[in-house]
Structure formats: structure tokens, C-alpha cells
Amino acid sequence: MITIKEVSSKGDLTTFVKFPFELYKDSPYYVPSIIKEEIDVLNPKKNPVFKNAVAKYYLAYKEDKVVGRIAAIINWIEVNEQEKPKVRFGWFDFIDDLEVSKALLDQVKAFGEANQLQYMEGPVGFSNMDKAGILIKGFEELNTMITWYNYPYYVEHMEALGFEPAATWVEYKIKVPSEIKEKVIKFSNIIKEKYELKLLKFKKSKELLKYADDMFELLNKTYSHLQTFVPIQPHQIEMYKKKYLPYLNPEYIVCIADKNGKLIAFSIVMPSFSKALKKMNGKIYPLRFLHILKAQKRNDTAAFYLIGIDPTYQNKGVTALIFKEMNQTFIRNGIETVETNPELEENKAIQALWNGYENEQHKKRRTFRKQL
């Protein structure tokens, strides 16, 4: 018999966050999140997204043992301003037992119905900046710090329970060229001179804070046309600054400004932290954090997290300038492979950026939808 318990205490929330550690303890590919960071993200007192959202968390028990978890989320901006009557679900993990996954999803259904919503979709987080999608390809690859990992049976459960595919994301593994082609350098210089653009260089992570708000503004402009888009709110930006600043190596950040100093494009790449996070196993006390510091300085793999370009400058060759700078950084630091952030399958403009490089589409993930 399956028993569902709503999370109602700090202890429950810790149990909720730690469940995947037990579920995936034997998986060589699961990369755990930092426990404290996950608890803060799910805590209404710590995460400003709750100014525009509400969530409930549930644990599934079988014979007094935790066998699954799920979060039911409503983003009121999405519902009221974008007119999408959707209840989200995320942080969805479970043993290979259809009775467990159904019982958890039934809680989301009930939560959505109680709020007069029309359909449920997930797994997703609170907004575009959170993890999303069930892995459907790439089970023998390490997940990155901004993606979930799951066993192959997850998708089988969704299909068996009558869910239909919603959004699909693809991820690429790109081989870094050992040298930059002369024509790329020349074209980049032409674009830079033609539009009177300036490259912004940073020595310390804190120097990036000056441009953080402009970066998020560009993200909103860049991705507003995509189906999963929900605008990033000003109060959320402060949290993301604090959350990701410790991981940034300023040498890997490319920012481009116009002649007046206004930011018109940026890209954020980080050395891969997957192996470091696996060694840390959810803990972040000082000695464990040394794994992150080592990964920042000695690594042969990088992760391409974000790129934003002002619509005025899209399709004008600005990406060539960004890639030239990134390629130079990779060569200097011994980076041989870059893994991309999940990209919506229909976002052909972004995927076209990798055509000039040796690449492999090595992962795919998907959200699932069902009418209430």
C-alpha cells in the first residue's frame, strides 16, 4: 500500500531533497545537487519566486520507506498573465512501481483541480532558470549541475499513465577546435568594426555583477518567443546572482557592448562541475568545495550554460565574435569538449550555431502533459 505525506516540516523537506541520493546511490551517472541549495530553492522564506508562485511537496511511502517524491507548483504569472491554466510538477523521482508514480501525480492533479486549472505538465521547476524534462536519451552520460538525471523507466511510467509529450530539449557535445580558422578571425573583426562593438573583460567574478541585470534582460528578450518561456522577475535575479556567482570563472564569460557601453550580447560558460559535484555528494563545507575550485582551474570539459543576444543584433554575425573569444579561452585552458545547455528542439537558430563544429547530439529530455 502506498501512503502519500505532504511535506510539513524542515525534517520532511530534508528527506524530500535527499531521496534521490538513495535512489541513485548505485548509478555512476547521477550527479547530486548541493543539499543546502536545494532546500533553499524549495523554501518560501528563501526563494523569492514564491512572490509569484505556490508549491506543495509530497513524499510517497511504502512499508514506512520513502519510495518517491514530487512537487506541485503554480506559477501565477504563467497562469494569470500568460493565460496558461497549468499546474507544474517537478522534483519527480520514484522507484519502478507504477502505483507509486500514479499516487504522486494524483496529488498534482488534485492540487491543480482545487485551483481551477486545466492541465498539468512536467517535470519542470518554478521558471525557465530551473531544471526541466525527463531524460529520454543519454542515460550513460553524467548530468550537468543544471539538469536532472533519471532512470529509463521514468518515460515508460508517463506513457502508461496517459501523459502526452509536451516540450522536448536536446543537448550537444562539441569538440573544441585546436586552432581558430583565419576566416573566423577575420569575420569576427569585421563584425566588431562594422557595429562598433566592444569586448568586456573581467578579472574577478564580482565585476560581473555590474552587468547581471542587463544579462537577465537580454535573456528575457532572447527567449520570449519560446513555448516554455516565463519572464524572469527582478526579485528572482538576486537569488540567481548569489547561487551561481561562486561557480563563475570570469575568464569564461564573454560580454559584448555597443559603442555606448550598453550590453548587447553575452555567453556564460563554466568548466564542467559534474565530476566535482559527484565527489562532493551534496555537501558544501570548505574541504568539499575544494573540488569546485580544482574544477575551475584544471578541466578538459566545459559546459555552455547561457547565451543572450539583443534581438536588434541577432543574425548579424555577433555569435561569431562570441565563439572566437570562447575558442581562444578553451585553447588557453586545455578545454577539449563543450557540453551545451538543454535547448528546445524547435529552437533551430541555437542548434545551427553548432553546425560549424564537430558535434554529437548526445542527450534528449522531455516534459509530459495531461488534461485534468
Side-chain angles (χ1 to χ4, degrees):
M1 180 179 175
I2 307 302
T3 302
I4 301 296
K5 177 183 178 181
E6 182 178 345
V7 169
S8 59
S9 67
K10 290 182 179 179
D12 289 344
L13 188 58
T14 300
T15 299
F16 183 92
V17 168
K18 287 185 174 181
F19 172 66
F21 288 76
E22 175 65 24
L23 184 64
Y24 298 108
K25 65 181 179 181
D26 297 322
S27 171
Y29 309 110
Y30 169 68
V31 176
S33 300
I34 299 298
I35 293 170
K36 182 181 183 304
E37 289 182 358
E38 282 287 273
I39 290 174
D40 287 350
V41 166
L42 298 170
N43 186 345
K45 295 180 180 179
K46 296 288 184 72
N47 190 344
V49 75
F50 284 95
K51 292 182 179 180
N52 304 109
V54 63
K56 288 182 178 292
Y57 314 123
Y58 302 96
L59 290 163
Y61 288 83
K62 187 175 184 178
E63 297 177 356
D64 297 324
K65 181 180 179 180
V66 179
V67 291
R69 67 170 189 172
I70 199 167
I73 302 163
I74 301 173
N75 185 312
W76 292 114
I77 292 176
E78 182 176 51
V79 173
N80 297 326
E81 296 182 17
Q82 297 184 306
E83 298 182 345
K84 295 180 180 179
K86 174 171 73 179
V87 56
R88 297 169 163 239
F89 63 90
W91 286 269
F92 185 34
D93 291 289
F94 49 90
I95 64 171
D96 191 5
D97 184 331
L98 197 62
E99 189 179 359
V100 173
S101 54
K102 181 181 185 303
L104 288 167
L105 289 164
D106 282 347
Q107 294 296 318
V108 180
K109 180 176 184 289
F111 185 55
E113 289 175 337
N115 286 277
Q116 292 79 51
L117 300 176
Q118 297 177 15
Y119 67 97
M120 55 196 289
E121 183 179 339
V124 291
F126 296 98
S127 72
N128 302 70
M129 294 296 291
D130 295 316
K131 301 174 184 180
I134 284 176
L135 192 66
I136 60 175
K137 175 186 176 182
F139 301 106
E140 296 182 352
E141 301 277 354
L142 289 171
N143 59 290
T144 67
M145 68 183 291
I146 60 168
T147 59
W148 281 312
Y149 181 81
N150 59 263
Y151 289 128
Y153 63 77
Y154 277 41
V155 66
E156 297 169 8
H157 282 234
M158 301 308 294
E159 293 169 349
L161 293 171
F163 282 77
E164 298 179 349
T168 300
W169 289 264
V170 291
E171 297 169 52
Y172 290 82
K173 188 183 290 184
I174 302 164
K175 184 176 180 180
V176 176
S178 58
E179 60 181 12
I180 306 172
K181 295 179 181 179
E182 186 63 30
K183 65 179 182 181
V184 173
I185 296 175
K186 287 183 178 180
F187 180 66
S188 299
N189 290 336
I190 289 171
I191 295 300
K192 184 179 177 182
E193 292 175 10
K194 180 179 179 179
Y195 297 109
E196 301 180 78
L197 303 177
K198 296 183 290 186
L199 285 166
L200 304 177
K201 300 288 187 178
F202 308 99
K203 293 183 178 180
K204 297 181 180 179
S205 298
K206 289 184 179 180
E207 294 175 5
L208 293 165
L209 290 175
K210 178 181 176 181
Y211 296 95
D213 292 342
D214 293 334
M215 288 181 183
F216 282 100
E217 181 182 346
L218 281 181
L219 283 180
N220 281 339
K221 289 181 179 179
T222 303
Y223 300 107
S224 61
H225 64 287
L226 298 177
Q227 62 167 307
T228 60
F229 177 77
V230 178
I232 304 166
Q233 302 302 302
H235 52 260
Q236 291 176 260
I237 293 174
E238 294 304 315
M239 184 192 72
Y240 293 129
K241 288 178 186 176
K242 294 177 183 177
K243 182 176 180 180
Y244 291 111
L245 190 64
Y247 297 97
L248 296 181
N249 181 335
E251 189 179 359
Y252 285 76
I253 311 301
V254 177
C255 287
I256 300 175
D258 64 15
K259 62 181 180 181
N260 298 315
K262 181 182 178 182
L263 191 70
I264 61 96
F266 76 93
S267 70
I268 295 179
V269 178
M270 300 187 219
S272 175
F273 295 118
S274 294
K275 293 179 180 179
L277 288 169
K278 197 161 182 63
K279 292 176 182 177
M280 292 168 71
N281 198 34
K283 307 294 176 55
I284 201 169
Y285 52 81
L287 290 179
R288 294 269 180 152
F289 199 74
L290 286 175
H291 294 299
I292 294 294
L293 298 177
K294 289 179 181 178
Q296 285 180 328
K297 296 179 180 179
R298 293 195 298 273
N299 215 318
D300 63 0
T301 304
F304 192 162
Y305 284 101
L306 292 172
I307 184 168
I309 301 175
D310 191 297
T312 307
Y313 288 88
Q314 291 176 11
N315 302 315
K316 291 185 177 180
V318 175
T319 51
L321 183 55
I322 291 174
F323 285 179
K324 187 204 77 171
E325 293 299 315
M326 283 173 33
N327 210 151
Q328 290 175 334
T329 299
F330 296 154
I331 293 172
R332 281 197 307 272
N333 290 278
I335 299 295
E336 300 173 359
T337 305
V338 178
E339 187 171 9
T340 71
N341 186 37
E343 306 152 2
L344 280 167
E345 195 170 44
E346 69 265 26
N347 193 356
K348 302 300 182 184
I350 289 292
Q351 292 159 45
L353 299 177
W354 321 131
N355 291 341
Y357 301 87
E358 184 179 335
N359 69 75
E360 173 194 359
Q361 194 264 297
H362 67 311
K363 295 181 192 174
K364 183 180 287 190
R365 59 188 70 244
R366 179 172 292 152
T367 55
F368 291 83
R369 171 175 170 163
K370 188 176 183 180
Q371 294 298 119
L372 299 181

